[in-house]
């Protein structure tokens, strides 16, 4: 018998998968709608190169989810960018080995602790 | 704390945490945002990940196949209405709403693909492997299934027809591979160990005991 392979190659693959499944189950979109959109993004990404089903697959997955949530006004690009930068900042300013945390502010406050 | 904005340019005196890859930062941002808006529950996310990393996988499907090999009534029920038959074994849930079992015989070999994206019977097989999600497999399984099978090490007799099933968000397929020769005396647990994930996608055969 072969050794079981890990379900996800990278933690972020698992995270984006879980967020999507959760939002589907809490009624934000149907799985058919998801599959149609995802299939379209995969098709577009695969036009100029052959996707290998690893990182590139979940990049297409992430882009699909970001697009869907922006369209429904659940997570706009500006909000996402602000938090992405806040997380990058938190990683840069956290000493190695310490847990990386965000300052406790909501999106759109524009404040960040250094 | 003073810092600059390039990713890895800190000197050895400031061993800061390494910046994760860009998509990981985007996922983190999305998750934090949705959590702050009350749209996702972190505990639910952890439970989903735990389910697919640790609880659900091809062993479920292998138990179904082993039962179909040994119990004629179950086999008939599985081929008639797989969703109901596997639900009775506790195998149901996300992406298992409509499962169809297709049985390999001496004359027909079944193979499953999702040409649209990567639809797959999660409750029976878990999360699909990378190759199932690749463009190469998704495009070639339909166009040249025998060639793809040969690359998986499966060579079928010329008289065996290959039937390729295209999964969708509505219908997902489980291939029931042929029971290998010499497996007559084995119990269900030993039989299930012969059933590989690939054999239930139709890209492999059950292994010989």
């Amino acid at each position: 018998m072969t050794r079981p392979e890990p379900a996800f190659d990278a933690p972020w693959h698992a995270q984006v998968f879980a967020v999507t499944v959760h939002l589907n189950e809490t009624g934000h979109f149907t799985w058919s709608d998801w599959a149609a959109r995802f299939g379209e993004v995969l098709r577009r990404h695969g036009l100029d190169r052959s996707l290998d089903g690893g990182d590139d697959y979940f990049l297409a997955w992430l882009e699909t989810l970001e697009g869907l949530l922006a369209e429904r006004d659940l997570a706009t690009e500006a909000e996402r960018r602000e938090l992405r930068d806040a997380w990058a900042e938190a990683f840069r300013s956290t000493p190695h080995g310490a847990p990386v945390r965000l300052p406790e502010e909501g999106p759109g406050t524009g404040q960040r602790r250094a | 704390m003073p810092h600059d904005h390039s990713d890895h340019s800190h000197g050895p005196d400031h061993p800061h945490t390494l910046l994760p890859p860009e998509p990981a930062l985007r996922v983190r941002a999305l998750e934090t945002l949705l959590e702050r808006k009350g749209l996702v529950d972190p505990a639910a996310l952890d439970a989903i990940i735990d389910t697919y990393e640790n609880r659900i996988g091809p062993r479920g499907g292998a138990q179904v196949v082993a039962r179909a090999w040994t119990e004629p009534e179950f086999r008939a029920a599985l081929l008639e209405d797989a969703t109901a038959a596997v639900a009775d074994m506790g195998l149901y849930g996300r992406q298992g709403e409509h499962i169809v079992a297709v049985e390999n015989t001496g004359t027909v070999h079944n193979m499953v693909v999702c040409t649209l994206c990567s639809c797959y019977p999660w409750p029976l097989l878990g999360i699909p492997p990378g190759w199932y999600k690749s463009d190469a497999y998704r495009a070639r399984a339909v166009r040249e299934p025998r060639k793809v099978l040969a690359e998986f090490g499966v060579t079928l007799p010329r008289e065996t027809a290959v039937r390729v099933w295209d999964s969708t968000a509505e219908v997902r397929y489980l291939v029931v591979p042929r029971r290998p020769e010499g497996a007559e005396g084995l119990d269900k647990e030993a039989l299930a160990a012969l059933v590989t994930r690939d054999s239930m996608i139709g890209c492999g055969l059950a292994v010989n005991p």
Side-chain angles (χ1 to χ4, degrees):
Chain A
M1 202 160 61
T2 51
R3 190 164 45 89
E5 293 169 29
F8 302 101
D9 291 337
W12 70 267
H13 297 177
Q15 292 298 131
V16 73
F17 168 85
V19 169
T20 309
V21 167
H22 186 41
L23 290 172
N24 163 241
E25 287 184 343
T26 47
H28 291 285
F29 47 84
T30 65
W31 202 260
S32 301
D33 185 19
W34 166 261
R37 286 164 179 268
F38 181 43
E40 174 54 26
V41 175
L42 279 173
R43 193 193 59 77
R44 194 151 31 78
H45 282 205
L47 286 180
D48 51 0
R49 67 201 184 92
S50 180
L51 307 181
D52 68 8
D55 251 22
D56 53 16
Y57 172 86
F58 280 103
L59 270 173
W61 183 299
L62 173 58
E63 186 183 311
T64 309
L65 183 62
E66 287 174 340
L68 201 155
L69 295 177
E71 197 184 296
R72 313 241 160 134
D73 234 14
L74 295 171
T76 65
E77 195 188 337
E79 289 173 321
R80 282 193 280 108
R81 191 181 302 273
E82 187 187 347
L83 276 164
R84 180 255 170 241
D85 292 348
W87 271 115
E89 183 84 5
F91 273 94
R92 286 193 190 101
S93 57
T94 303
H96 186 71
V100 181
R101 292 204 181 90
L102 274 192
E104 295 284 319
E105 288 119 19
T109 60
Q111 291 173 18
R112 231 169 279 153
R113 264 171 259 159
Chain B
M1 187 181 292
H3 52 79
D4 60 44
H5 284 270
S6 60
D7 292 357
H8 303 296
S9 61
H10 299 290
D13 298 345
H14 298 277
H16 292 166
T17 306
L18 217 60
L19 203 59
E22 187 55 34
L25 278 176
R26 279 163 62 192
V27 171
R28 231 174 228 262
L30 196 60
E31 203 180 321
T32 308
L33 182 60
L34 295 170
E35 199 184 312
R36 287 181 174 179
K37 291 186 174 193
L39 293 168
V40 303
D41 168 11
L45 300 184
D46 289 346
I48 291 168
I49 293 171
D50 178 55
T51 297
Y52 293 100
E53 281 190 333
N54 305 312
R55 296 173 202 282
I56 292 186
R59 289 304 92 208
Q63 285 164 11
V64 171
V65 171
R67 229 184 129 187
W69 282 346
T70 49
E71 296 176 32
E73 272 179 37
F74 177 78
R75 173 184 163 274
L78 182 71
L79 296 177
E80 172 75 25
D81 180 355
T83 313
V86 303
D88 283 347
M89 294 173 69
L91 300 167
Y92 53 83
R94 304 176 185 111
Q95 318 308 319
E97 292 84 1
H98 189 177
I99 294 173
V100 171
V102 288
E103 186 183 46
N104 288 349
T105 66
T107 51
V108 176
H109 178 91
N110 297 284
M111 189 173 161
V112 182
V113 66
C114 172
T115 56
L116 175 68
C117 48
S118 52
C119 298
Y120 195 70
W122 294 355
L124 299 179
L125 300 182
I127 300 297
W131 58 260
Y132 185 83
K133 301 178 285 199
S134 70
D135 279 358
Y137 180 74
R138 289 167 43 227
R140 294 181 54 221
V142 174
R143 210 171 56 224
E144 44 187 19
R146 278 180 191 274
K147 220 165 157 183
V148 172
L149 283 174
E151 287 164 23
F152 276 95
V154 177
T155 314
L156 299 169
R158 199 185 300 209
E159 59 273 20
T160 302
V162 178
R163 198 172 287 163
V164 181
W165 302 84
D166 195 356
S167 307
T168 65
E170 283 78 35
V171 185
R172 286 125 201 282
Y173 299 91
L174 174 77
V175 174
V176 179
R178 299 181 74 191
R179 180 174 168 155
E181 306 281 336
E184 288 73 19
L186 300 179
D187 63 16
K188 269 197 280 262
E189 204 179 322
L191 286 172
L194 307 177
V195 184
T196 63
R197 175 197 64 204
D198 292 1
S199 75
M200 294 181 279
I201 308 174
C203 288
L205 306 176
V207 297
N208 290 314

